[in-house]
mmCIF file of all heavy atoms in Angstrom:
data_model
loop_
_atom_site.group_PDB
_atom_site.id
_atom_site.type_symbol
_atom_site.label_atom_id
_atom_site.label_comp_id
_atom_site.label_asym_id
_atom_site.label_seq_id
_atom_site.Cartn_x
_atom_site.Cartn_y
_atom_site.Cartn_z
ATOM 1 N N SER A 666 -0.450 11.331 -6.102
ATOM 2 C CA SER A 666 -1.193 11.264 -4.845
ATOM 3 C C SER A 666 -2.322 12.284 -4.814
ATOM 4 O O SER A 666 -3.335 12.077 -4.147
ATOM 5 C CB SER A 666 -0.241 11.492 -3.664
ATOM 6 O OG SER A 666 0.397 12.759 -3.764
ATOM 7 N N ASP A 667 -2.164 13.389 -5.555
ATOM 8 C CA ASP A 667 -3.206 14.419 -5.579
ATOM 9 C C ASP A 667 -4.519 13.897 -6.154
ATOM 10 O O ASP A 667 -5.585 14.479 -5.908
ATOM 11 C CB ASP A 667 -2.733 15.612 -6.416
ATOM 12 C CG ASP A 667 -1.456 16.235 -5.877
ATOM 13 O OD1 ASP A 667 -0.559 15.472 -5.501
ATOM 14 O OD2 ASP A 667 -1.348 17.468 -5.838
ATOM 15 N N THR A 668 -4.434 12.798 -6.936
ATOM 16 C CA THR A 668 -5.644 12.197 -7.502
ATOM 17 C C THR A 668 -6.617 11.786 -6.401
ATOM 18 O O THR A 668 -7.833 11.789 -6.598
ATOM 19 C CB THR A 668 -5.271 10.959 -8.346
ATOM 20 O OG1 THR A 668 -4.309 11.333 -9.326
ATOM 21 C CG2 THR A 668 -6.489 10.365 -9.041
ATOM 22 N N LEU A 669 -6.075 11.435 -5.262
ATOM 23 C CA LEU A 669 -6.903 10.957 -4.163
ATOM 24 C C LEU A 669 -7.925 12.009 -3.726
ATOM 25 O O LEU A 669 -9.037 11.668 -3.321
ATOM 26 C CB LEU A 669 -6.021 10.552 -2.980
ATOM 27 C CG LEU A 669 -6.699 9.810 -1.836
ATOM 28 C CD1 LEU A 669 -7.306 8.500 -2.309
ATOM 29 C CD2 LEU A 669 -5.698 9.549 -0.710
ATOM 30 N N ARG A 670 -7.563 13.277 -3.803
ATOM 31 C CA ARG A 670 -8.476 14.347 -3.370
ATOM 32 C C ARG A 670 -9.756 14.332 -4.206
ATOM 33 O O ARG A 670 -10.863 14.432 -3.667
ATOM 34 C CB ARG A 670 -7.803 15.716 -3.481
ATOM 35 C CG ARG A 670 -8.712 16.865 -3.089
ATOM 36 C CD ARG A 670 -7.997 18.199 -3.207
ATOM 37 N NE ARG A 670 -7.002 18.357 -2.168
ATOM 38 C CZ ARG A 670 -7.263 18.784 -0.934
ATOM 39 N NH1 ARG A 670 -8.515 19.045 -0.581
ATOM 40 N NH2 ARG A 670 -6.300 18.919 -0.057
ATOM 41 N N SER A 671 -9.621 14.203 -5.524
ATOM 42 C CA SER A 671 -10.800 14.170 -6.391
ATOM 43 C C SER A 671 -11.672 12.966 -6.083
ATOM 44 O O SER A 671 -12.905 13.051 -6.091
ATOM 45 C CB SER A 671 -10.368 14.146 -7.859
ATOM 46 O OG SER A 671 -9.628 15.300 -8.189
ATOM 47 N N LEU A 673 -11.874 11.387 -3.184
ATOM 48 C CA LEU A 673 -12.529 11.605 -1.900
ATOM 49 C C LEU A 673 -13.685 12.595 -2.030
ATOM 50 O O LEU A 673 -14.687 12.483 -1.322
ATOM 51 C CB LEU A 673 -11.511 12.103 -0.871
ATOM 52 C CG LEU A 673 -10.506 11.044 -0.402
ATOM 53 C CD1 LEU A 673 -9.393 11.688 0.422
ATOM 54 C CD2 LEU A 673 -11.189 9.960 0.411
ATOM 55 N N ASP A 674 -13.559 13.557 -2.940
ATOM 56 C CA ASP A 674 -14.675 14.471 -3.193
ATOM 57 C C ASP A 674 -15.882 13.712 -3.733
ATOM 58 O O ASP A 674 -17.028 14.011 -3.374
ATOM 59 C CB ASP A 674 -14.260 15.563 -4.189
ATOM 60 C CG ASP A 674 -13.328 16.591 -3.561
ATOM 61 O OD1 ASP A 674 -13.265 16.640 -2.318
ATOM 62 O OD2 ASP A 674 -12.655 17.327 -4.308
ATOM 63 N N ARG A 676 -16.568 10.643 -3.011
ATOM 64 C CA ARG A 676 -17.110 9.915 -1.862
ATOM 65 C C ARG A 676 -18.029 10.800 -1.032
ATOM 66 O O ARG A 676 -19.032 10.332 -0.483
ATOM 67 C CB ARG A 676 -15.967 9.377 -0.993
ATOM 68 C CG ARG A 676 -16.461 8.531 0.179
ATOM 69 C CD ARG A 676 -15.318 7.946 0.969
ATOM 70 N NE ARG A 676 -14.596 8.933 1.754
ATOM 71 C CZ ARG A 676 -13.641 8.639 2.625
ATOM 72 N NH1 ARG A 676 -13.276 7.388 2.801
ATOM 73 N NH2 ARG A 676 -13.023 9.590 3.303
ATOM 74 N N VAL A 689 -11.150 4.135 2.765
ATOM 75 C CA VAL A 689 -10.060 5.080 2.518
ATOM 76 C C VAL A 689 -9.982 6.070 3.676
ATOM 77 O O VAL A 689 -10.980 6.673 4.063
ATOM 78 C CB VAL A 689 -10.260 5.838 1.188
ATOM 79 C CG1 VAL A 689 -9.128 6.837 0.969
ATOM 80 C CG2 VAL A 689 -10.335 4.857 0.025
ATOM 81 N N ILE A 690 -8.800 6.233 4.222
ATOM 82 C CA ILE A 690 -8.603 7.073 5.398
ATOM 83 C C ILE A 690 -8.500 8.543 5.001
ATOM 84 O O ILE A 690 -7.777 8.906 4.077
ATOM 85 C CB ILE A 690 -7.326 6.656 6.155
ATOM 86 C CG1 ILE A 690 -7.445 5.211 6.657
ATOM 87 C CG2 ILE A 690 -7.027 7.603 7.315
ATOM 88 C CD1 ILE A 690 -6.148 4.661 7.209
ATOM 89 N N GLN A 691 -9.235 9.379 5.697
ATOM 90 C CA GLN A 691 -9.108 10.834 5.584
ATOM 91 C C GLN A 691 -9.186 11.391 6.996
ATOM 92 O O GLN A 691 -10.199 11.224 7.662
ATOM 93 C CB GLN A 691 -10.208 11.418 4.700
ATOM 94 C CG GLN A 691 -10.035 12.904 4.436
ATOM 95 C CD GLN A 691 -11.137 13.460 3.541
ATOM 96 O OE1 GLN A 691 -12.301 13.099 3.671
ATOM 97 N NE2 GLN A 691 -10.775 14.355 2.629
ATOM 98 N N ILE A 692 -8.119 12.025 7.450
ATOM 99 C CA ILE A 692 -8.049 12.430 8.844
ATOM 100 C C ILE A 692 -7.970 13.950 8.970
ATOM 101 O O ILE A 692 -7.547 14.648 8.048
ATOM 102 C CB ILE A 692 -6.846 11.793 9.566
ATOM 103 C CG1 ILE A 692 -5.529 12.203 8.911
ATOM 104 C CG2 ILE A 692 -6.991 10.279 9.593
ATOM 105 C CD1 ILE A 692 -4.308 11.670 9.628
ATOM 106 N N ILE A 693 -8.410 14.432 10.128
ATOM 107 C CA ILE A 693 -8.370 15.858 10.448
ATOM 108 C C ILE A 693 -7.212 16.086 11.419
ATOM 109 O O ILE A 693 -7.152 15.464 12.479
ATOM 110 C CB ILE A 693 -9.688 16.318 11.074
ATOM 111 C CG1 ILE A 693 -10.838 16.094 10.088
ATOM 112 C CG2 ILE A 693 -9.611 17.785 11.486
ATOM 113 C CD1 ILE A 693 -12.205 16.332 10.687
ATOM 114 N N VAL A 694 -6.304 16.955 11.021
ATOM 115 C CA VAL A 694 -5.090 17.197 11.804
ATOM 116 C C VAL A 694 -4.979 18.678 12.132
ATOM 117 O O VAL A 694 -5.064 19.524 11.237
ATOM 118 C CB VAL A 694 -3.836 16.741 11.027
ATOM 119 C CG1 VAL A 694 -2.576 17.088 11.806
ATOM 120 C CG2 VAL A 694 -3.891 15.250 10.737
ATOM 121 N N GLY A 720 6.509 15.525 3.251
ATOM 122 C CA GLY A 720 5.487 14.492 3.372
ATOM 123 C C GLY A 720 4.169 15.060 3.854
ATOM 124 O O GLY A 720 3.092 14.685 3.372
ATOM 125 N N LEU A 721 4.238 16.004 4.795
ATOM 126 C CA LEU A 721 3.013 16.628 5.314
ATOM 127 C C LEU A 721 2.291 17.417 4.224
ATOM 128 O O LEU A 721 1.069 17.311 4.070
ATOM 129 C CB LEU A 721 3.367 17.551 6.481
ATOM 130 C CG LEU A 721 2.195 18.301 7.129
ATOM 131 C CD1 LEU A 721 1.189 17.331 7.731
ATOM 132 C CD2 LEU A 721 2.714 19.273 8.199
ATOM 133 N N HIS A 722 3.056 18.206 3.458
ATOM 134 C CA HIS A 722 2.476 19.005 2.379
ATOM 135 C C HIS A 722 1.782 18.100 1.353
ATOM 136 O O HIS A 722 0.644 18.354 0.950
ATOM 137 C CB HIS A 722 3.580 19.819 1.708
ATOM 138 C CG HIS A 722 3.108 20.737 0.624
ATOM 139 N ND1 HIS A 722 3.958 21.533 -0.097
ATOM 140 C CD2 HIS A 722 1.861 20.960 0.112
ATOM 141 C CE1 HIS A 722 3.269 22.228 -0.988
ATOM 142 N NE2 HIS A 722 1.995 21.895 -0.882
ATOM 143 N N GLU A 723 2.443 17.024 0.949
ATOM 144 C CA GLU A 723 1.858 16.123 -0.045
ATOM 145 C C GLU A 723 0.610 15.430 0.494
ATOM 146 O O GLU A 723 -0.377 15.248 -0.230
ATOM 147 C CB GLU A 723 2.882 15.084 -0.492
ATOM 148 C CG GLU A 723 2.393 14.221 -1.638
ATOM 149 C CD GLU A 723 3.474 13.331 -2.228
ATOM 150 O OE1 GLU A 723 4.675 13.619 -2.022
ATOM 151 O OE2 GLU A 723 3.119 12.337 -2.895
ATOM 152 N N ALA A 724 0.636 15.049 1.774
ATOM 153 C CA ALA A 724 -0.527 14.400 2.375
ATOM 154 C C ALA A 724 -1.718 15.344 2.408
ATOM 155 O O ALA A 724 -2.866 14.934 2.201
ATOM 156 C CB ALA A 724 -0.190 13.915 3.782
ATOM 157 N N ILE A 725 -1.467 16.630 2.645
ATOM 158 C CA ILE A 725 -2.548 17.619 2.652
ATOM 159 C C ILE A 725 -3.072 17.839 1.231
ATOM 160 O O ILE A 725 -4.282 17.862 0.995
ATOM 161 C CB ILE A 725 -2.069 18.950 3.258
ATOM 162 C CG1 ILE A 725 -1.745 18.769 4.751
ATOM 163 C CG2 ILE A 725 -3.120 20.046 3.074
ATOM 164 C CD1 ILE A 725 -1.060 19.973 5.382
ATOM 165 N N ASP A 726 -2.168 17.984 0.271
ATOM 166 C CA ASP A 726 -2.588 18.179 -1.120
ATOM 167 C C ASP A 726 -3.415 17.000 -1.625
ATOM 168 O O ASP A 726 -4.320 17.167 -2.446
ATOM 169 C CB ASP A 726 -1.369 18.351 -2.030
ATOM 170 C CG ASP A 726 -0.786 19.757 -1.966
ATOM 171 O OD1 ASP A 726 -1.425 20.639 -1.353
ATOM 172 O OD2 ASP A 726 0.308 19.976 -2.527
ATOM 173 N N SER A 727 -3.098 15.793 -1.142
ATOM 174 C CA SER A 727 -3.808 14.595 -1.592
ATOM 175 C C SER A 727 -5.220 14.498 -1.020
ATOM 176 O O SER A 727 -6.040 13.734 -1.537
ATOM 177 C CB SER A 727 -3.031 13.340 -1.192
ATOM 178 O OG SER A 727 -3.157 13.099 0.205
ATOM 179 N N GLY A 728 -5.492 15.244 0.045
ATOM 180 C CA GLY A 728 -6.786 15.144 0.705
ATOM 181 C C GLY A 728 -6.822 14.090 1.793
ATOM 182 O O GLY A 728 -7.823 13.989 2.514
ATOM 183 N N ALA A 729 -5.763 13.296 1.930
ATOM 184 C CA ALA A 729 -5.722 12.303 3.008
ATOM 185 C C ALA A 729 -5.700 12.997 4.361
ATOM 186 O O ALA A 729 -6.178 12.451 5.361
ATOM 187 C CB ALA A 729 -4.496 11.398 2.863
ATOM 188 N N VAL A 730 -5.155 14.205 4.395
ATOM 189 C CA VAL A 730 -5.109 15.011 5.618
ATOM 190 C C VAL A 730 -5.834 16.321 5.370
ATOM 191 O O VAL A 730 -5.584 17.007 4.374
ATOM 192 C CB VAL A 730 -3.657 15.303 6.037
ATOM 193 C CG1 VAL A 730 -3.610 16.373 7.124
ATOM 194 C CG2 VAL A 730 -2.973 14.025 6.511
ATOM 195 N N ILE A 731 -6.766 16.664 6.255
ATOM 196 C CA ILE A 731 -7.394 17.985 6.271
ATOM 197 C C ILE A 731 -6.721 18.766 7.389
ATOM 198 O O ILE A 731 -6.841 18.414 8.564
ATOM 199 C CB ILE A 731 -8.903 17.887 6.513
ATOM 200 C CG1 ILE A 731 -9.567 17.103 5.383
ATOM 201 C CG2 ILE A 731 -9.527 19.274 6.629
ATOM 202 C CD1 ILE A 731 -11.022 16.800 5.637
ATOM 203 N N ALA A 732 -5.965 19.790 7.014
ATOM 204 C CA ALA A 732 -5.191 20.561 7.990
ATOM 205 C C ALA A 732 -6.005 21.744 8.498
ATOM 206 O O ALA A 732 -6.522 22.536 7.701
ATOM 207 C CB ALA A 732 -3.890 21.051 7.359
ATOM 208 N N ASP A 803 -8.369 14.229 14.662
ATOM 209 C CA ASP A 803 -7.697 12.956 14.933
ATOM 210 C C ASP A 803 -6.362 13.151 15.645
ATOM 211 O O ASP A 803 -6.028 12.397 16.554
ATOM 212 C CB ASP A 803 -7.471 12.209 13.611
ATOM 213 C CG ASP A 803 -8.779 11.828 12.945
ATOM 214 O OD1 ASP A 803 -9.457 10.939 13.476
ATOM 215 O OD2 ASP A 803 -9.130 12.433 11.913
ATOM 216 N N PHE A 804 -5.596 14.167 15.218
ATOM 217 C CA PHE A 804 -4.282 14.419 15.819
ATOM 218 C C PHE A 804 -4.046 15.919 15.952
ATOM 219 O O PHE A 804 -4.667 16.716 15.255
ATOM 220 C CB PHE A 804 -3.143 13.891 14.929
ATOM 221 C CG PHE A 804 -3.193 12.439 14.595
ATOM 222 C CD1 PHE A 804 -3.165 12.022 13.271
ATOM 223 C CD2 PHE A 804 -3.245 11.469 15.590
ATOM 224 C CE1 PHE A 804 -3.193 10.687 12.938
ATOM 225 C CE2 PHE A 804 -3.278 10.127 15.276
ATOM 226 C CZ PHE A 804 -3.253 9.731 13.936
ATOM 227 N N ASP A 825 4.654 12.004 9.049
ATOM 228 C CA ASP A 825 4.520 12.666 7.748
ATOM 229 C C ASP A 825 4.798 11.716 6.590
ATOM 230 O O ASP A 825 4.048 11.673 5.604
ATOM 231 C CB ASP A 825 5.454 13.872 7.664
ATOM 232 C CG ASP A 825 5.109 14.964 8.665
ATOM 233 O OD1 ASP A 825 4.037 14.862 9.310
ATOM 234 O OD2 ASP A 825 5.907 15.905 8.818
ATOM 235 N N ILE A 827 4.679 8.462 6.595
ATOM 236 C CA ILE A 827 3.648 7.411 6.556
ATOM 237 C C ILE A 827 2.405 7.926 5.833
ATOM 238 O O ILE A 827 1.842 7.241 4.978
ATOM 239 C CB ILE A 827 3.282 6.963 7.987
ATOM 240 C CG1 ILE A 827 4.491 6.328 8.667
ATOM 241 C CG2 ILE A 827 2.115 5.981 7.977
ATOM 242 C CD1 ILE A 827 4.284 6.024 10.145
ATOM 243 N N LEU A 828 1.989 9.142 6.156
ATOM 244 C CA LEU A 828 0.827 9.739 5.512
ATOM 245 C C LEU A 828 1.067 9.945 4.021
ATOM 246 O O LEU A 828 0.180 9.704 3.193
ATOM 247 C CB LEU A 828 0.490 11.073 6.177
ATOM 248 C CG LEU A 828 -0.032 10.994 7.614
ATOM 249 C CD1 LEU A 828 -0.045 12.379 8.255
ATOM 250 C CD2 LEU A 828 -1.424 10.383 7.654
ATOM 251 N N ARG A 829 2.277 10.381 3.682
ATOM 252 C CA ARG A 829 2.602 10.577 2.257
ATOM 253 C C ARG A 829 2.566 9.264 1.493
ATOM 254 O O ARG A 829 1.984 9.172 0.409
ATOM 255 C CB ARG A 829 3.995 11.200 2.123
ATOM 256 C CG ARG A 829 4.418 11.489 0.684
ATOM 257 C CD ARG A 829 5.920 11.517 0.546
ATOM 258 N NE ARG A 829 6.517 10.205 0.797
ATOM 259 C CZ ARG A 829 7.816 9.992 0.835
ATOM 260 N NH1 ARG A 829 8.666 11.000 0.677
ATOM 261 N NH2 ARG A 829 8.294 8.784 1.053
ATOM 262 N N ASP A 830 3.203 8.226 2.051
ATOM 263 C CA ASP A 830 3.231 6.923 1.372
ATOM 264 C C ASP A 830 1.827 6.333 1.266
ATOM 265 O O ASP A 830 1.499 5.673 0.273
ATOM 266 C CB ASP A 830 4.150 5.960 2.119
ATOM 267 C CG ASP A 830 5.622 6.353 2.010
ATOM 268 O OD1 ASP A 830 5.932 7.214 1.155
ATOM 269 O OD2 ASP A 830 6.442 5.817 2.773
ATOM 270 N N TYR A 831 1.003 6.572 2.277
ATOM 271 C CA TYR A 831 -0.377 6.093 2.209
ATOM 272 C C TYR A 831 -1.120 6.787 1.071
ATOM 273 O O TYR A 831 -1.842 6.144 0.294
ATOM 274 C CB TYR A 831 -1.103 6.358 3.530
ATOM 275 C CG TYR A 831 -2.567 5.968 3.475
ATOM 276 C CD1 TYR A 831 -2.945 4.634 3.584
ATOM 277 C CD2 TYR A 831 -3.552 6.920 3.266
ATOM 278 C CE1 TYR A 831 -4.281 4.264 3.497
ATOM 279 C CE2 TYR A 831 -4.884 6.559 3.176
ATOM 280 C CZ TYR A 831 -5.244 5.223 3.290
ATOM 281 O OH TYR A 831 -6.562 4.871 3.182
ATOM 282 N N ALA A 832 -0.953 8.107 0.961
ATOM 283 C CA ALA A 832 -1.630 8.857 -0.094
ATOM 284 C C ALA A 832 -1.181 8.398 -1.470
ATOM 285 O O ALA A 832 -2.003 8.221 -2.378
ATOM 286 C CB ALA A 832 -1.370 10.351 0.084
ATOM 287 N N ARG A 833 0.106 8.190 -1.653
ATOM 288 C CA ARG A 833 0.618 7.767 -2.964
ATOM 289 C C ARG A 833 0.089 6.388 -3.359
ATOM 290 O O ARG A 833 -0.391 6.191 -4.480
ATOM 291 C CB ARG A 833 2.152 7.738 -2.937
ATOM 292 C CG ARG A 833 2.803 9.104 -2.894
ATOM 293 C CD ARG A 833 4.325 8.982 -2.883
ATOM 294 N NE ARG A 833 4.972 10.291 -2.867
ATOM 295 C CZ ARG A 833 6.289 10.481 -2.843
ATOM 296 N NH1 ARG A 833 7.100 9.422 -2.837
ATOM 297 N NH2 ARG A 833 6.800 11.695 -2.852
ATOM 298 N N SER A 834 0.205 5.434 -2.462
ATOM 299 C CA SER A 834 -0.193 4.069 -2.790
ATOM 300 C C SER A 834 -1.707 3.935 -2.928
ATOM 301 O O SER A 834 -2.204 3.244 -3.824
ATOM 302 C CB SER A 834 0.328 3.091 -1.731
ATOM 303 O OG SER A 834 -0.147 3.441 -0.435
ATOM 304 N N THR A 835 -2.443 4.620 -2.074
ATOM 305 C CA THR A 835 -3.902 4.499 -2.106
ATOM 306 C C THR A 835 -4.490 5.178 -3.332
ATOM 307 O O THR A 835 -5.499 4.724 -3.873
ATOM 308 C CB THR A 835 -4.508 5.085 -0.827
ATOM 309 O OG1 THR A 835 -3.908 4.431 0.310
ATOM 310 C CG2 THR A 835 -6.008 4.860 -0.767
ATOM 311 N N SER A 836 -3.870 6.255 -3.801
ATOM 312 C CA SER A 836 -4.358 6.907 -5.018
ATOM 313 C C SER A 836 -4.270 5.956 -6.205
ATOM 314 O O SER A 836 -5.182 5.902 -7.046
ATOM 315 C CB SER A 836 -3.564 8.187 -5.301
ATOM 316 O OG SER A 836 -2.207 7.897 -5.582
ATOM 317 N N ILE A 938 -1.432 4.133 10.544
ATOM 318 C CA ILE A 938 -2.223 5.323 10.839
ATOM 319 C C ILE A 938 -3.371 4.977 11.781
ATOM 320 O O ILE A 938 -3.620 5.662 12.784
ATOM 321 C CB ILE A 938 -2.759 5.951 9.535
ATOM 322 C CG1 ILE A 938 -1.605 6.464 8.676
ATOM 323 C CG2 ILE A 938 -3.733 7.095 9.850
ATOM 324 C CD1 ILE A 938 -2.014 6.829 7.256
ATOM 325 N N LEU A 942 -4.799 6.342 15.664
ATOM 326 C CA LEU A 942 -6.018 7.148 15.729
ATOM 327 C C LEU A 942 -6.691 6.981 17.088
ATOM 328 O O LEU A 942 -6.702 5.882 17.640
ATOM 329 C CB LEU A 942 -6.994 6.737 14.629
ATOM 330 C CG LEU A 942 -6.642 7.125 13.198
ATOM 331 C CD1 LEU A 942 -7.637 6.499 12.226
ATOM 332 C CD2 LEU A 942 -6.633 8.638 13.038
ATOM 333 N N ARG A 961 -14.944 18.943 5.460
ATOM 334 C CA ARG A 961 -14.276 18.197 4.393
ATOM 335 C C ARG A 961 -14.496 18.820 3.014
ATOM 336 O O ARG A 961 -13.734 18.546 2.081
ATOM 337 C CB ARG A 961 -14.756 16.745 4.384
ATOM 338 C CG ARG A 961 -14.370 15.972 5.631
ATOM 339 C CD ARG A 961 -14.827 14.516 5.551
ATOM 340 N NE ARG A 961 -14.628 13.814 6.798
ATOM 341 C CZ ARG A 961 -13.470 13.304 7.217
ATOM 342 N NH1 ARG A 961 -12.408 13.415 6.447
ATOM 343 N NH2 ARG A 961 -13.386 12.687 8.372
ATOM 344 N N GLN A 963 -14.410 21.263 -0.087
ATOM 345 C CA GLN A 963 -13.430 22.227 -0.582
ATOM 346 C C GLN A 963 -14.067 23.567 -0.959
ATOM 347 O O GLN A 963 -13.368 24.505 -1.335
ATOM 348 C CB GLN A 963 -12.710 21.645 -1.805
ATOM 349 C CG GLN A 963 -11.918 20.386 -1.506
ATOM 350 C CD GLN A 963 -10.854 20.627 -0.460
ATOM 351 O OE1 GLN A 963 -9.998 21.513 -0.619
ATOM 352 N NE2 GLN A 963 -10.896 19.865 0.612
#
Side-chain angles (χ1 to χ4, degrees):
S666 59
D667 301 43
T668 305
L669 190 61
R670 178 180 289 277
S671 299
L673 288 170
D674 287 343
R676 184 177 72 173
V689 179
I690 298 171
Q691 186 179 40
I692 60 177
I693 299 172
V694 176
L721 179 62
H722 183 181
E723 187 171 341
I725 294 171
D726 281 351
S727 74
V730 168
I731 298 172
D803 296 290
F804 303 125
D825 296 351
I827 296 172
L828 292 168
R829 182 205 66 185
D830 291 347
Y831 176 78
R833 289 181 179 179
S834 58
T835 305
S836 65
I938 295 168
L942 288 174
R961 295 182 188 280
Q963 298 301 304

